[in-house]
Amino acid sequence: MLDVRQLQVLRSIAQEGSLAAAGRALHYSQPTITHHLSSLEAHFNARLVQRGPRGATLTELGEALLPHAEAVLERLRRAEVEVRGLAERGTRTLHIGTFPTAGALLLAPAVKRLHRQGVHISLTEGELPLLLRGLKARELDAALVFSQPGDRLDLDDDFELHPLLVDPLLLVLPQDHPCAALDRVPLGELRDTAWVGAADPHDPCDRVLAWACAQEGYEPLHAMRTDDYAVVQGLVAAGTGVALVPRLALGHPRPDLTVRPLAHPELAREISVALLRSTSAAAAQELIAALQEQAALITERWAAT
C-alpha cells in the first residue's frame, strides 16, 4: 500500500533537486527521506530517483509517477479544507469550472442557490481545453462542458456527464446578405462567403464550422478573427463576413443583423455538467438540480421566442 508521505517525498525531491533539500522542505531527517524513497521504489521494484554528485533527479518512471502523486496530494489537501470548513463553519466547497457564456447564464443563478444552501463555490473560468485539463488533474470537482459534431469529450470513467441543454449554433448575417431572406440557410450556399471567426483557429466553433464545411466539400475562408461576440456582431453588421454563434452567446442581436438557423447540416452543441464521481454526493446533487432548473428556464425562454 502506498503511503502519502512517500508521494510527498517524491514530489519534494522533484521540486528541490536533492534528498537533503527535500528533507529540509518537509522537515524530515535525511534517514527519513531515504526510508520513504526506498519504500516507494521497493513498492514498484524500480528506481524512481537518480542520485548524483549535484543532486537528485527523477528517472523516467519517477516522472511518470509524479503527476499522479501531485493529483493525489492535491485531492487530499482539498478534502482536508472541505471537511475542516464543514466542521468549523458548516460550509462545503465545490471547485467548479465554466466557459464564459455558460458562466453568465447557467452557472451564476445556480451559484446563488448553492450559496443559500451552505455550499461555497471556488470558480475557474476558461475555454473547454483548460476545463478538461482541470478535471483530469482532479483540480476541479465539476465543470460545465460541451460536445458538438466532430468533437468528442475525452473523459474517463471517473466522471459522469449530466446533460443540461442543447445550444443551437446560429448563422449571423448582414441584413442585405442574399441568404438573409431564407428561413434556413444551407451551408453550401455560403461557399464563397467570408467568415468572422475566433481569435484561436482551434476554437470549438471554428472546428465545428470546418467540420461542417468539409461535409459540403469546401473550407471556410476567415476574413477577421475576434473572441468578443459584441465585436463579432459589429463586424458582421459592417459587411466583413458572416459568423457562427452559439445561441447562448448571442444575447440580444443588433437590429441591423439577421439571425438564421442552418438548414443543412443543423449544428448545435450539447452543454453538460461533468462531475468527478468522488465529489460529495449531497453537494453534487444540489449542483445538478440547480443547473438543470436554470437550463430548463433558458430552454423555455428560447421556445417562447
Side-chain angles (χ1 to χ4, degrees), residues 80-92:
E80 183 176 7
V81 170
E82 180 171 345
V83 173
R84 286 187 185 279
L86 186 56
E88 295 170 3
R89 301 182 299 278
T91 61
R92 288 161 291 169

Side-chain angles (χ1 to χ4, degrees), residues 134-176:
L135 288 168
K136 293 174 186 177
R138 309 307 191 256
E139 295 167 354
L140 297 174
D141 299 306
L144 289 168
V145 297
F146 60 86
S147 57
Q148 58 189 17
D151 269 345
R152 292 180 56 192
L153 281 174
D154 184 21
L155 290 173
D156 58 37
D157 292 340
D158 288 343
F159 298 91
E160 55 187 39
L161 278 177
H162 296 268
L164 297 174
L165 61 83
V166 174
D167 187 16
L169 302 179
L170 300 175
L171 183 65
V172 181
L173 314 99
Q175 283 190 330
D176 59 355

Side-chain angles (χ1 to χ4, degrees), residues 37-102:
L37 177 58
S38 298
S39 298
L40 186 61
E41 292 182 328
H43 179 85
F44 288 102
N45 192 27
R47 184 172 292 280
L48 302 175
V49 173
Q50 183 65 49
R51 302 163 181 82
R54 295 189 177 182
T57 57
L58 300 193
T59 65
E60 183 179 359
L61 294 176
E63 291 286 358
L65 178 59
L66 181 61
H68 298 287
E70 291 175 329
V72 168
L73 294 170
E74 172 61 18
R75 188 72 188 177
L76 288 173
R77 184 195 68 78
R78 286 168 46 199
E80 183 176 7
V81 170
E82 180 171 345
V83 173
R84 286 187 185 279
L86 186 56
E88 295 170 3
R89 301 182 299 278
T91 61
R92 288 161 291 169
T93 299
L94 277 180
H95 301 267
I96 301 176
T98 182
F99 55 97
T101 49

Side-chain angles (χ1 to χ4, degrees), residues 6 12 20 50 73 75 91 107 124 137 180 185 198 241 244 266 279 303 305:
Q6 297 167 359
S12 191
Q50 183 65 49
L73 294 170
R75 188 72 188 177
T91 61
L107 186 58
T124 297
V185 180
L244 194 64
E266 293 185 19
T279 301
T305 59

